[in-house]
């Protein structure tokens, strides 16, 4: 089966600009998660979709971040306007809805805001 | 809420040395426990898992045993190789649905392993 894919793999933007990250989960996985890791720190939960519905967005840092999952397939995460502290690696993961099921991760998008 | 604590890194070893990376957790009920590995330039991938107490997960020479009495899931390997150099993440997935109705995964900070020839 195809894995989780993320695009782009790298993005370098200036403070104040807009960036949109995309994630294509494994087909049939209703659960989709966005995480962020800043250098050397923990993988921080951002939000979670079940199909097209946001189940938990408690980790979203502020209203500059907007995530969507139209039609319950791929998801986008938009940062507008970007700030320096938004730099990091953004991971997307998908899974089946069972506690024993592992997450399947994409390779991440490395975002650098200058 | 749920939490995972891993030992601080980096862990630096010589090839063929014994590896232990400690992981302890806090969770209600009986979570499933996981170790993920991230090689340079790649995403996280599942290394092994255990879904109930006293289960041992194993893969690629790595092992971890689900110890409920000590709430631990330490990762071990008898003889590391240079190719094992990576960041290792301990994680849990609660057995209880969160308020949003899902089994929220929680990750540790990650432990960097560097193996020298």
């Amino acid at each position: 089966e195809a894995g989780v894919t993320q695009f782009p793999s790298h993005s370098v933007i200036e403070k104040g600009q807009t960036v949109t990250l995309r994630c294509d989960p494994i087909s049939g996985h209703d659960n989709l998660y966005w995480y962020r890791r800043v250098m050397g720190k923990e993988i921080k939960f951002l939000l979670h979709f079940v199909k097209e519905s946001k189940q938990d967005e408690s980790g979203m840092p502020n209203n500059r971040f907007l995530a969507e999952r139209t039609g319950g397939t791929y998801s986008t995460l938009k940062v507008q306007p970007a700030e320096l502290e938004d730099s990091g690696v953004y991971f997307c993961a998908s899974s089946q809805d069972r506690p024993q099921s592992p997450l399947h991760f994409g390779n991440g998008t490395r975002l650098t805001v200058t | 809420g749920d939490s995972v604590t891993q030992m601080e890194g980096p862990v630096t070893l010589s090839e063929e040395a014994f590896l232990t990376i400690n992981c302890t957790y806090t969770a209600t009920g009986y979570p499933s426990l996981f170790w993920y590995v991230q090689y340079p330039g790649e995403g996280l991938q599942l290394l092994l898992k255990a879904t109930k107490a006293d289960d041992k997960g194993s893969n690629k020479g790595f092992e971890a045993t689900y110890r409920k009495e000590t709430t631990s899931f330490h990762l071990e390997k008898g003889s590391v190789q240079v190719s094992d150099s990576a960041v290792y993440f301990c994680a849990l997935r609660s057995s209880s649905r969160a308020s949003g109705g899902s089994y929220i995964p929680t990750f540790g900070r990650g432990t960097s392993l560097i193996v020298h020839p």
Side-chain angles (χ1 to χ4, degrees), chain B residues 74-91:
Chain B
H74 305 321
L75 182 68
E76 297 182 337
K77 187 174 184 181
S79 176
V80 293
Q81 305 300 312
V82 172
S83 57
D84 294 327
S85 298
V87 181
Y88 292 81
F89 293 90
C90 185

Side-chain angles (χ1 to χ4, degrees), chain A residues 30-77:
Chain A
D30 289 342
N31 288 274
L32 187 150
Y33 302 87
W34 283 99
Y35 287 87
R36 176 173 70 180
R37 187 172 192 234
V38 177
M39 180 67 74
K41 297 191 176 179
E42 73 271 23
I43 295 179
K44 183 177 182 296
F45 168 78
L46 295 178
L47 85 157
H48 168 229
F49 286 96
V50 175
K51 297 183 181 178
E52 67 275 9
S53 300
K54 290 178 188 175
Q55 290 296 298
D56 186 339
E57 51 184 334
S58 60
M60 294 286 263
N62 51 59
N63 58 10
R64 295 185 293 103
F65 287 72
L66 175 64
E68 295 179 324
R69 192 182 182 195
T70 307
T73 54
Y74 71 91
S75 174
T76 58
L77 179 65

